[in-house]
């Protein structure tokens, strides 16, 4: 089945996205306007992205000493995407947006991620601008965010440093007040930043007139020392080129210099950089130090940045999903057309019989079903989370608060589960193609390389697991976990009345109870070291339980769908659901055993014995 038909089913019969039009914010929209957005995005992805996916993989970004060189196709794709209005699709009309539901925006962006995930860095630009719309001053919104939404400027997020990695407590980039009048600058309190930032995607290029860096840095205390931990972190807008209060370029280059390009296993179409801030290569007014404008209040930078980080985590989950989906579609096409082997009969193989297509072999079907269950299930999860975003912002107060808390609990899963299991789907796609899959004659090896980054992107697998077990399931007295459990239980109860779904409903209820018990057992001693020693197995079991719930809920929508739905497609959805319950959900018990036992095999293993 096509991606479009899958998205249509998930958005309309399952999620009921049309009902969002009854809310004041989306009143101008209809199924027709949503479909028109999909038509446009599907066309741009097909014409400007997909044909050049291999090109951007082989023609990596190059630095000629003055500027970063990218293929012309990347420039063309960026212009087409900006012209579509998708950078600010969910924004208010008065800032040039379309006031689209985020659910629709996320679904529309899936077409680009599947066509060529690394050609654009739109998720960073949109996330950067969205953060400023929440935490920035009116002028910061006008000068920076609005120019990002239009595509004139692009954006980054600058967190990690070479010596700190994911440990933001240990960043050392400094921000000092820039002159006696630093607080009176119309663009925000003005500082000079000095430090280094590593792994900055889209940190240097010529795709837009300017690059707006959002940079975490520490303002020293009264003693001149950096405040330990994350409490001392502030957030700054640091443009590559300085701008005036009207948003026009002043002609002055800010003191932000490219120190080097990181050459990656995959995702090669996007520059990945080491940036030096304030080293003096581009002095401003004769002084070293990158000019930056404070966002929000001093020492509250991480709170502001989490607005962008959480958006980026869901977007990375979608990217991982669509890379898995691209591999699935490629391997499915190959399996349908590749003749190899013959069926086994009671008398053995008949060498004179015609060859079978490999899709006729049970093990190839197993690998294809696994991919289908991972990728279509992950897509459903991401769209469900996107719907929660719309609920959080436009629903009645109680429903909005529940959506907020559910999204807190599900965000680590939305980021991590597709990053692990859609990567596994890419591996299975290679396996379906056999030796050909391991060559560059077919795209599946590139999809795997591109996807391998997503378990690292925006917080590694281990960090997401600690966030889930160490914070999210405990926050507000465990209310978020109970809200999720209530929704899972409601789905299981509805399914229990249908003979074809009743056994799956029982299996889901059992898996949920195992997760709850494991949560209690992990924290039985109250010691974080005991609980978090097996945070990743906990997250794997939690994620599989969530995906089993998603699949059962989708199956209920299939059962309720009318005769206009494709019989073959609905048979496919039901088959993928059964595969997940028969082959995947049983894994949760093994993962949770070490959690319940607070097993310390890994935590206590002596370093010298490795």
């Amino acid at each position: 089945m096509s991606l479009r038909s899958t998205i249509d089913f998930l958005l309309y019969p399952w999620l009921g996205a049309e009902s969002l039009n009854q809310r004041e914010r989306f009143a101008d929209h209809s199924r027709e306007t949503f479909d028109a957005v999909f038509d446009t995005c599907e066309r741009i992805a097909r014409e400007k992205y997909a044909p050049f996916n291999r090109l951007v993989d082989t023609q990596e970004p190059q630095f000629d000493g003055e500027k970063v060189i990218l293929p012309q196709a990347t420039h063309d794709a960026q212009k087409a995407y900006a012209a579509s209005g998708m950078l600010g699709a969910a924004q208010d009309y008065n800032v040039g947006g379309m006031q689209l539901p985020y659910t629709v925006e996320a679904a529309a962006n899936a077409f680009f991620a599947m066509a060529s995930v690394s050609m654009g860095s739109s998720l960073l630009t949109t996330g950067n601008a969205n953060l400023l719309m929440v935490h920035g001053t009116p002028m910061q919104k006008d000068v920076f965010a609005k120019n990002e939404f239009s595509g004139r400027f692009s954006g980054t997020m600058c967190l990690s440093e070479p010596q700190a990695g994911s440990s933001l407590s240990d960043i050392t980039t400094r921000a000092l007040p820039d002159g006696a009048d630093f607080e009176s600058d119309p663009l925000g309190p003005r500082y000079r930043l000095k430090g280094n930032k590593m792994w900055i995607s889209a940190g240097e290029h010529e795709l837009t007139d300017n690059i707006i860096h959002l940079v975490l840095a520490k303002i020293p205390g009264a003693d001149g020392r950096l405040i330990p931990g994350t409490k001392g972190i502030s957030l700054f807008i640091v443009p590559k080129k300085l701008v005036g209060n009207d948003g026009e370029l002043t002609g002055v280059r800010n003191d932000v210099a490219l120190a080097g390009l990181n050459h990656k296993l995959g995702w090669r179409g996007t520059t990945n950089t080491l940036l030096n801030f304030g080293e003096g290569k581009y002095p401003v007014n004769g002084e070293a130090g990158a000019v930056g404008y404070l966002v929000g209040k001093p020492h509250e930078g991480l709170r502001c940045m989490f607005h962008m980080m959480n958006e980026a985590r869901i977007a990375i989950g979608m990217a991982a999903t669509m890379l898995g989906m691209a591999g699935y579609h490629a391997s499915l096409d190959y399996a349908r057309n590749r003749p190899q082997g013959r069926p086994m009969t009671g008398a053995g193989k008949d060498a004179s019989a015609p060859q079978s297509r490999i899709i006729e072999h049970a093990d190839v079907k197993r690998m294809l079903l696994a991919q289908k269950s991972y990728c279509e299930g992950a897509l459903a999860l991401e769209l469900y989370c996107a719907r929660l975003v719309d609920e959080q912002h436009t629903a009645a107060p109680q429903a909005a608060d529940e959506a907020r808390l559910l999204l807190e609990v599900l965000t680590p899963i939305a980021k991590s589960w597709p990053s692990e299991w859609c990567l596994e789907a890419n591996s299975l796609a290679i396996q379906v193609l056999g030796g050909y899959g391991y060559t560059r004659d077919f795209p599946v090896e590139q999809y795997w390389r591109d996807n391998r980054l997503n378990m690292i992107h925006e917080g590694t697998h281990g960090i997401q697991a600690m966030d889930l077990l160490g914070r999210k399931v405990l926050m507000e007295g465990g209310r978020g976990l109970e809200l999720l459990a209530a929704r899972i239980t409601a789905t299981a109860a509805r399914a229990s009345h249908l003979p074809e779904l009743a056994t799956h409903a029982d299996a889901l209820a059992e898996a949920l109870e195992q997760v709850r018990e494991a949560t209690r057992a992990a924290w039985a001693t109250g010691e974080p070291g005991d609980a978090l020693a097996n945070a990743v197995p906990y997250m794997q079991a939690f994620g599989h339980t969530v995906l089993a719930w998603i699949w059962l809920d989708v199956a209920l929508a299939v059962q309720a769908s009318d005769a206009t739905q494709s019989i073959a497609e609905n048979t496919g959805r039901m088959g993928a659901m059964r595969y997940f319950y028969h082959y995947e959900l049983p894994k949760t018990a093994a993962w949770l055993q070490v959690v319940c036992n607070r097993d310390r095999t890994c935590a206590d293993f002596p370093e010298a014995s490795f």
Side-chain angles (χ1 to χ4, degrees):
M1 77 185 64
S2 70
L3 174 60
R4 179 64 177 270
S5 65
T6 301
I7 285 176
D8 284 348
F9 181 86
L10 294 175
L11 281 185
Y12 300 124
W14 182 51
L15 286 177
E18 284 177 280
S19 65
L20 289 168
N21 303 331
Q22 298 169 16
R23 299 181 183 176
E24 181 180 357
R25 179 170 181 80
F26 309 126
D28 293 340
H29 290 292
S30 64
R31 169 76 183 261
E32 287 70 29
T33 63
F34 294 165
D35 287 348
V37 169
F38 296 148
D39 290 342
T40 298
C41 291
E42 206 172 7
R43 176 183 56 78
I44 296 172
R46 182 176 62 250
E47 295 176 358
K48 300 293 186 181
Y49 283 70
F52 307 104
N53 190 46
R54 176 63 78 185
L55 175 73
V56 298
D57 183 59
T58 56
Q59 293 186 19
E60 292 187 67
Q62 299 294 323
F63 182 55
D64 68 0
E66 295 293 330
K67 60 183 181 295
V68 170
I69 300 170
L70 292 167
Q72 181 61 40
T74 303
H75 290 259
D76 296 341
Q78 192 276 334
K79 288 181 174 61
Y81 187 87
S84 75
M86 286 302 296
L87 283 165
Q91 289 298 316
D92 295 347
Y93 293 133
N94 62 11
V95 297
M98 294 187 267
Q99 289 189 197
L100 276 179
Y102 181 65
T103 310
V104 175
E105 180 187 13
N109 278 319
F111 295 108
F112 299 102
M114 186 167 171
S116 183
V117 74
S118 72
M119 276 192 79
S121 53
S122 58
L123 71 90
L124 290 170
T125 297
T126 299
N128 179 307
N130 286 346
L131 182 153
L132 293 177
M133 293 302 292
V134 175
H135 299 288
T137 65
M139 184 166 283
Q140 287 173 345
K141 296 174 187 179
D142 287 340
V143 171
F144 299 111
K146 289 182 181 179
N147 276 308
E148 290 183 89
F149 288 135
S150 73
R152 183 171 167 241
F153 297 169
S154 58
T156 74
M157 55 191 300
C158 300
L159 289 74
S160 298
E161 296 180 6
Q163 82 291 341
S166 299
S167 180
L168 297 180
S169 300
D170 298 313
I171 66 171
T172 58
T173 298
R174 289 172 167 260
L176 297 173
D178 184 29
D181 64 342
F182 80 101
E183 290 184 298
S184 61
D185 195 300
L187 292 177
R190 190 180 64 250
Y191 287 75
R192 292 287 187 131
L193 278 70
K194 294 184 178 181
N196 315 104
K197 293 293 180 177
M198 187 62 152
W199 313 118
I200 310 307
S201 294
E204 180 59 46
H205 55 73
E206 303 294 321
L207 296 171
T208 54
D209 292 347
N210 206 354
I211 302 173
I212 309 305
H213 303 291
L214 284 178
V215 184
L216 293 182
K218 291 186 175 182
I219 302 171
D223 59 0
R225 297 180 179 180
L226 297 182
I227 300 171
T230 59
K231 294 181 180 179
I233 295 175
S234 301
L235 180 62
F236 300 88
I237 299 167
V238 183
K240 172 184 173 180
K241 301 173 184 177
L242 295 182
V243 299
N245 299 339
D246 57 359
E248 295 301 315
L249 302 181
T250 65
V252 177
R253 173 75 184 261
N254 204 358
D255 196 9
V256 183
L258 177 68
L261 296 175
N262 297 308
H263 297 284
K264 301 168 294 178
L265 176 72
W267 209 301
R268 294 172 175 172
T270 301
T271 55
N272 191 274
T273 63
L274 169 61
L275 298 178
N276 291 343
F277 291 85
E279 69 175 358
K281 184 173 183 178
Y282 304 104
V284 179
N285 297 329
E287 291 182 46
V291 174
Y293 307 98
L294 182 69
V295 178
K297 296 179 180 179
H299 313 309
E300 294 187 6
L302 200 55
R303 182 181 68 85
C304 296
M305 184 58 93
F306 263 113
H307 185 102
M308 185 175 182
M309 289 167 68
N310 283 330
E311 277 192 33
R313 285 170 176 171
I314 295 174
I316 288 300
M318 181 64 89
T321 297
M322 301 321 297
L323 280 164
M325 191 79 79
Y328 165 58
H329 279 255
S331 64
L332 175 60
D333 181 68
Y334 183 88
R336 282 173 167 162
N337 291 285
R338 167 71 174 181
Q340 186 172 313
R342 292 170 176 82
M344 182 71 73
T345 68
K349 292 183 180 179
D350 180 358
S352 66
Q355 286 186 308
S356 302
R357 294 171 302 132
I358 63 173
I359 198 170
E360 297 173 46
H361 300 308
D363 193 56
V364 173
K365 288 184 177 181
R366 176 190 64 82
M367 292 188 283
L368 291 170
L369 261 176
Q371 293 178 68
K372 184 178 179 69
S373 73
Y374 299 155
C375 300
E376 291 184 16
L379 178 57
L381 170 66
E382 300 303 326
L383 294 178
Y384 183 86
C385 288
R387 178 65 194 263
L388 287 177
V389 172
D390 286 322
E391 293 297 307
Q392 182 181 351
H393 293 305
T394 64
Q398 181 177 343
D401 186 60
E402 289 184 0
R404 170 195 63 81
L405 194 51
L406 278 167
L407 199 57
E408 288 278 9
V409 175
L410 287 174
T411 294
I413 302 302
K415 189 274 177 187
S416 66
W417 197 92
S419 298
E420 179 172 4
W421 295 99
C422 292
L423 177 67
E424 174 62 17
N426 289 129
S427 182
L428 289 170
I430 292 173
Q431 192 71 14
V432 168
L433 270 69
Y436 286 112
Y438 202 63
T439 71
R440 295 193 180 185
D441 297 329
F442 291 86
V444 290
E445 60 85 27
Q446 182 186 341
Y447 297 142
W448 186 92
R449 287 188 289 106
D450 284 344
N451 215 351
R452 187 58 187 83
L453 180 58
N454 290 318
M455 285 181 73
I456 303 169
H457 248 164
E458 304 308 329
T460 64
H461 220 47
I463 287 173
Q464 300 299 329
M466 289 190 289
D467 183 42
L468 177 67
L469 181 55
R471 193 166 73 91
K472 294 298 179 64
V473 298
L474 304 178
M475 64 191 303
E476 299 186 23
R479 188 165 72 94
L481 178 58
E482 289 311 305
L483 280 173
L484 178 61
R487 296 203 178 193
I488 294 173
T489 300
T491 295
R494 289 166 53 212
S496 67
H497 298 297
L498 299 176
E500 60 269 52
L501 299 179
T503 58
H504 303 316
D506 292 342
L508 178 61
E510 182 180 355
L512 173 62
E513 185 51 40
Q514 289 173 347
V515 168
R516 293 167 111 171
E517 175 55 32
T519 307
R520 291 189 289 268
W523 287 102
T525 67
E527 291 293 329
D530 289 343
L532 300 180
N534 295 291
V536 167
Y538 175 85
M539 182 174 69
Q540 289 171 316
F542 195 108
H544 261 48
T545 302
V546 167
L547 264 291
W549 162 55
I550 291 286
W551 265 120
L552 193 60
D553 212 63
V554 168
L556 285 167
V558 170
Q559 295 295 307
S561 63
D562 58 41
T564 61
Q565 297 291 326
S566 165
I567 294 175
E569 291 186 0
N570 280 341
T571 299
R573 294 181 183 108
M574 294 300 291
M577 180 275 299
R578 284 193 297 273
Y579 174 89
F580 199 87
Y581 273 82
H582 294 169
Y583 288 78
E584 295 294 331
L585 189 59
K587 296 175 182 177
T588 58
W591 284 322
L592 290 176
Q593 185 174 0
V594 292
V595 180
C596 289
N597 295 339
R598 297 182 296 281
D599 190 290
R600 294 190 61 87
T601 299
C602 298
D604 293 342
F605 195 82
E607 178 184 342
S609 298
F610 276 104

